[in-house]
Amino acid sequence: NGIRLQCKSPEDAQIIHTVNWNDAFEGLAIHKPNYGIVVHGVVISALAALDNDPVKTKAAAIQEWEEANGGIKIKTIKTLRRKQRSNRIPSAHQSIVILTDDPTAADKCIKLGFFIDSERHKAEKYAPQLHITQCYKCYEYGHRATHCKRAEKCGNCGAENHQTDKCDKDEHTCCRCKGNHQAWSLQCPERNAESQRLMVLRSEMSP
Protein backbone atom coordinates (compact mmCIF):
# COMPACT_ATOMS: atom_id res chain seq x y z
CA ASN A 1 0.00 0.00 0.00
CA GLY A 2 1.12 3.54 -0.67
CA ILE A 3 1.00 6.66 1.50
CA ARG A 4 0.10 10.01 -0.08
CA LEU A 5 1.07 13.22 1.69
CA GLN A 6 -0.92 16.36 0.92
CA CYS A 7 0.56 19.72 1.88
CA LYS A 8 -1.14 22.99 2.67
CA SER A 9 1.45 25.11 0.86
CA PRO A 10 4.20 24.81 -1.79
CA GLU A 11 6.74 25.62 0.93
CA ASP A 12 5.67 22.58 2.97
CA ALA A 13 5.95 20.43 -0.14
CA GLN A 14 9.53 21.61 -0.67
CA ILE A 15 10.40 20.62 2.91
CA ILE A 16 9.02 17.12 2.33
CA HIS A 17 11.14 16.77 -0.81
CA THR A 18 14.30 17.35 1.26
CA VAL A 19 13.61 14.28 3.43
CA ASN A 20 15.49 11.10 2.50
CA TRP A 21 12.46 8.82 2.62
CA ASN A 22 14.48 5.79 1.56
CA ASP A 23 16.23 5.88 4.94
CA ALA A 24 13.41 7.34 7.03
CA PHE A 25 11.60 4.02 7.61
CA GLU A 26 12.49 0.45 6.78
CA GLY A 27 10.94 -0.72 3.52
CA LEU A 28 9.77 2.79 2.55
CA ALA A 29 10.66 4.28 -0.83
CA ILE A 30 9.47 7.27 -2.83
CA HIS A 31 6.97 6.39 -5.54
CA LYS A 32 8.26 7.16 -9.03
CA PRO A 33 5.68 7.58 -11.80
CA ASN A 34 6.19 5.64 -15.00
CA TYR A 35 6.54 7.33 -18.37
CA GLY A 36 5.55 5.32 -21.41
CA ILE A 37 6.68 5.36 -25.01
CA VAL A 38 5.15 3.41 -27.90
CA VAL A 39 7.67 1.76 -30.23
CA HIS A 40 6.25 0.84 -33.63
CA GLY A 41 7.17 -1.87 -36.13
CA VAL A 42 9.03 -4.23 -33.81
CA VAL A 43 9.65 -7.65 -35.38
CA ILE A 44 7.75 -10.36 -33.51
CA SER A 45 10.87 -12.52 -33.28
CA ALA A 46 12.65 -9.77 -31.36
CA LEU A 47 9.92 -9.88 -28.72
CA ALA A 48 9.93 -13.66 -28.55
CA ALA A 49 13.65 -13.56 -27.84
CA LEU A 50 12.93 -11.77 -24.56
CA ASP A 51 11.34 -14.92 -23.16
CA ASN A 52 12.43 -17.78 -25.39
CA ASP A 53 16.08 -17.17 -26.25
CA PRO A 54 18.04 -20.06 -24.65
CA VAL A 55 21.30 -18.11 -24.80
CA LYS A 56 20.25 -14.81 -23.33
CA THR A 57 18.23 -14.28 -20.20
CA LYS A 58 15.41 -11.77 -20.31
CA ALA A 59 17.42 -9.43 -18.10
CA ALA A 60 20.38 -9.56 -20.50
CA ALA A 61 18.16 -8.86 -23.50
CA ILE A 62 16.57 -5.88 -21.77
CA GLN A 63 20.00 -4.61 -20.79
CA GLU A 64 21.01 -4.65 -24.47
CA TRP A 65 17.97 -2.53 -25.29
CA GLU A 66 18.83 -0.12 -22.47
CA GLU A 67 22.44 0.29 -23.60
CA ALA A 68 21.39 0.82 -27.22
CA ASN A 69 19.09 3.66 -26.15
CA GLY A 70 21.25 5.91 -24.05
CA GLY A 71 21.06 3.88 -20.85
CA ILE A 72 17.29 4.19 -20.40
CA LYS A 73 16.07 2.11 -17.45
CA ILE A 74 13.24 -0.11 -18.65
CA LYS A 75 10.65 -0.99 -16.00
CA THR A 76 8.14 -2.88 -18.16
CA ILE A 77 7.71 -4.04 -21.76
CA LYS A 78 4.25 -4.96 -23.03
CA THR A 79 2.42 -5.14 -26.33
CA LEU A 80 0.28 -2.17 -27.31
CA ARG A 81 -2.73 -4.32 -28.15
CA ARG A 82 -4.12 -7.46 -26.66
CA LYS A 83 -3.69 -10.87 -28.27
CA GLN A 84 -5.18 -11.00 -31.75
CA ARG A 85 -8.31 -12.95 -32.45
CA SER A 86 -7.73 -16.40 -33.94
CA ASN A 87 -9.58 -15.53 -37.15
CA ARG A 88 -7.25 -12.65 -37.98
CA ILE A 89 -4.11 -12.95 -40.08
CA PRO A 90 -1.12 -12.73 -37.72
CA SER A 91 1.20 -9.76 -38.23
CA ALA A 92 4.99 -10.00 -38.54
CA HIS A 93 5.39 -6.77 -36.57
CA GLN A 94 4.03 -5.42 -33.32
CA SER A 95 3.86 -2.08 -31.54
CA ILE A 96 5.07 -2.26 -27.96
CA VAL A 97 4.90 -0.05 -24.87
CA ILE A 98 8.03 0.57 -22.84
CA LEU A 99 7.68 2.08 -19.37
CA THR A 100 10.48 3.91 -17.59
CA ASP A 101 10.71 6.16 -14.52
CA ASP A 102 13.09 8.53 -16.32
CA PRO A 103 11.12 11.23 -18.19
CA THR A 104 14.27 12.69 -19.78
CA ALA A 105 15.27 9.33 -21.27
CA ALA A 106 11.70 8.78 -22.50
CA ASP A 107 11.68 12.18 -24.24
CA LYS A 108 15.04 11.39 -25.85
CA CYS A 109 13.71 8.12 -27.30
CA ILE A 110 10.64 9.90 -28.64
CA LYS A 111 12.88 12.44 -30.36
CA LEU A 112 15.61 10.13 -31.69
CA GLY A 113 13.73 6.85 -32.02
CA PHE A 114 14.17 3.54 -30.21
CA PHE A 115 16.89 1.13 -31.37
CA ILE A 116 16.45 -2.66 -31.35
CA ASP A 117 19.15 -4.84 -32.93
CA SER A 118 20.68 -1.72 -34.55
CA GLU A 119 17.37 -0.85 -36.24
CA ARG A 120 15.74 2.50 -35.50
CA HIS A 121 12.03 2.40 -34.70
CA LYS A 122 9.62 5.31 -34.58
CA ALA A 123 8.57 6.12 -31.02
CA GLU A 124 5.87 8.34 -29.58
CA LYS A 125 4.43 9.21 -26.21
CA TYR A 126 2.23 6.50 -24.72
CA ALA A 127 -1.25 7.90 -24.29
CA PRO A 128 -3.62 4.90 -24.17
CA GLN A 129 -6.68 7.09 -24.49
CA LEU A 130 -5.33 8.36 -27.82
CA HIS A 131 -4.77 5.01 -29.53
CA ILE A 132 -7.44 3.03 -31.35
CA THR A 133 -9.53 0.88 -29.05
CA GLN A 134 -12.11 -1.26 -30.84
CA CYS A 135 -14.72 -3.42 -29.16
CA TYR A 136 -14.84 -6.98 -30.49
CA LYS A 137 -18.50 -7.31 -29.54
CA CYS A 138 -20.18 -4.35 -31.25
CA TYR A 139 -17.07 -3.11 -33.15
CA GLU A 140 -17.54 0.49 -32.08
CA TYR A 141 -14.48 2.50 -31.06
CA GLY A 142 -13.53 3.85 -27.65
CA HIS A 143 -14.24 0.84 -25.41
CA ARG A 144 -13.52 -2.87 -25.03
CA ALA A 145 -15.80 -5.87 -25.18
CA THR A 146 -15.51 -6.51 -21.43
CA HIS A 147 -17.35 -3.22 -20.80
CA CYS A 148 -19.73 -3.34 -23.78
CA LYS A 149 -23.47 -3.24 -23.15
CA ARG A 150 -24.50 -3.03 -26.81
CA ALA A 151 -25.87 -5.76 -29.08
CA GLU A 152 -23.28 -8.14 -30.47
CA LYS A 153 -22.46 -7.99 -34.18
CA CYS A 154 -20.47 -10.24 -36.46
CA GLY A 155 -17.24 -8.60 -37.51
CA ASN A 156 -16.98 -10.88 -40.51
CA CYS A 157 -20.34 -10.45 -42.28
CA GLY A 158 -22.05 -7.71 -40.25
CA ALA A 159 -24.98 -9.85 -39.06
CA GLU A 160 -26.46 -9.50 -35.58
CA ASN A 161 -27.61 -13.10 -35.09
CA HIS A 162 -24.29 -14.82 -34.50
CA GLN A 163 -20.80 -14.29 -33.09
CA THR A 164 -17.81 -13.55 -35.31
CA ASP A 165 -15.99 -16.79 -34.52
CA LYS A 166 -19.09 -18.77 -35.55
CA CYS A 167 -19.52 -17.09 -38.94
CA ASP A 168 -19.21 -19.39 -41.95
CA LYS A 169 -19.67 -16.80 -44.71
CA ASP A 170 -16.90 -16.27 -47.23
CA GLU A 171 -17.96 -12.77 -48.27
CA HIS A 172 -17.10 -9.98 -45.84
CA THR A 173 -19.34 -7.05 -44.93
CA CYS A 174 -18.18 -4.45 -42.45
CA CYS A 175 -20.85 -3.83 -39.82
CA ARG A 176 -19.66 -0.22 -39.56
CA CYS A 177 -19.29 1.10 -43.12
CA LYS A 178 -20.90 -1.82 -45.03
CA GLY A 179 -17.75 -2.15 -47.13
CA ASN A 180 -16.41 -5.42 -48.54
CA HIS A 181 -14.04 -6.14 -45.65
CA GLN A 182 -14.07 -7.24 -42.02
CA ALA A 183 -14.89 -4.76 -39.27
CA TRP A 184 -11.28 -4.54 -38.05
CA SER A 185 -9.75 -4.13 -41.51
CA LEU A 186 -7.17 -1.40 -42.03
CA GLN A 187 -9.07 -0.61 -45.25
CA CYS A 188 -12.16 0.53 -43.35
CA PRO A 189 -12.72 4.27 -43.93
CA GLU A 190 -14.24 4.66 -40.48
CA ARG A 191 -11.16 3.10 -38.88
CA ASN A 192 -8.92 5.38 -40.92
CA ALA A 193 -10.99 8.39 -39.86
CA GLU A 194 -10.69 7.37 -36.20
CA SER A 195 -6.96 6.82 -36.63
CA GLN A 196 -6.53 10.28 -38.17
CA ARG A 197 -8.58 11.90 -35.40
CA LEU A 198 -6.43 10.33 -32.70
CA MET A 199 -3.24 11.13 -34.60
CA VAL A 200 -4.14 14.83 -34.59
CA LEU A 201 -4.80 14.71 -30.85
CA ARG A 202 -1.46 12.95 -30.21
CA SER A 203 0.40 15.54 -32.29
CA GLU A 204 -1.12 18.29 -30.15
CA MET A 205 0.21 16.74 -26.98
CA SER A 206 3.55 17.98 -25.65
CA PRO A 207 6.24 15.26 -25.49
Side-chain angles (χ1 to χ4, degrees):
N1 294 327
I3 301 173
R4 175 175 294 178
L5 303 179
Q6 185 172 354
C7 301
K8 294 183 178 179
S9 68
E11 292 74 21
D12 289 342
Q14 288 297 326
I15 294 174
I16 287 179
H17 279 295
T18 63
V19 177
N20 185 355
W21 294 101
N22 294 321
D23 296 332
F25 301 96
E26 184 178 356
L28 189 67
I30 296 177
H31 170 72
K32 292 183 178 181
N34 286 326
Y35 302 88
I37 59 175
V38 179
V39 181
H40 295 289
V42 180
V43 179
I44 296 296
S45 58
L47 299 178
L50 290 176
D51 295 319
N52 303 326
D53 194 324
V55 179
K56 303 175 185 177
T57 64
K58 183 175 181 178
I62 291 177
Q63 184 177 359
E64 285 188 6
W65 287 20
E66 292 176 337
E67 293 174 352
N69 293 278
I72 185 175
K73 295 301 179 183
I74 298 175
K75 305 288 288 184
T76 305
I77 301 174
K78 60 182 181 180
T79 56
L80 179 60
R81 296 179 178 85
R82 295 181 178 180
K83 185 177 180 181
Q84 293 183 336
R85 295 178 68 96
S86 58
N87 57 350
R88 298 185 65 177
I89 300 175
S91 173
H93 298 81
Q94 173 73 63
S95 295
I96 62 173
V97 177
I98 292 178
L99 299 180
T100 179
D101 58 13
D102 186 344
T104 301
D107 287 344
K108 185 176 180 181
C109 289
I110 292 172
K111 182 179 180 180
L112 302 179
F114 194 88
F115 290 85
I116 300 176
D117 296 334
S118 300
E119 182 178 355
R120 180 183 180 276
H121 297 269
K122 179 182 177 182
E124 62 181 340
K125 182 176 181 179
Y126 177 49
Q129 73 278 15
L130 297 182
H131 289 274
I132 286 184
T133 300
Q134 187 174 24
C135 172
Y136 287 108
K137 179 182 176 184
C138 71
Y139 291 93
E140 295 289 336
Y141 296 111
H143 68 276
R144 299 189 183 277
T146 52
H147 304 110
C148 184
K149 298 181 179 179
R150 301 182 183 182
E152 187 163 7
K153 298 179 182 179
C154 176
N156 190 56
C157 72
E160 298 184 4
N161 59 358
H162 62 260
Q163 297 176 342
T164 303
D165 56 2
K166 296 180 180 178
C167 182
D168 57 2
K169 294 184 179 180
D170 295 328
E171 293 186 3
H172 301 153
T173 301
C174 177
C175 58
R176 294 192 51 79
C177 72
K178 308 305 179 184
N180 185 23
H181 55 258
Q182 294 165 312
W184 54 81
S185 173
L186 298 180
Q187 301 174 3
C188 181
E190 291 200 20
R191 181 183 179 89
N192 290 332
E194 176 70 1
S195 179
Q196 290 296 323
R197 183 184 72 84
L198 296 176
M199 186 181 298
V200 171
L201 292 178
R202 290 199 301 273
S203 68
E204 295 174 349
M205 292 180 61
S206 58

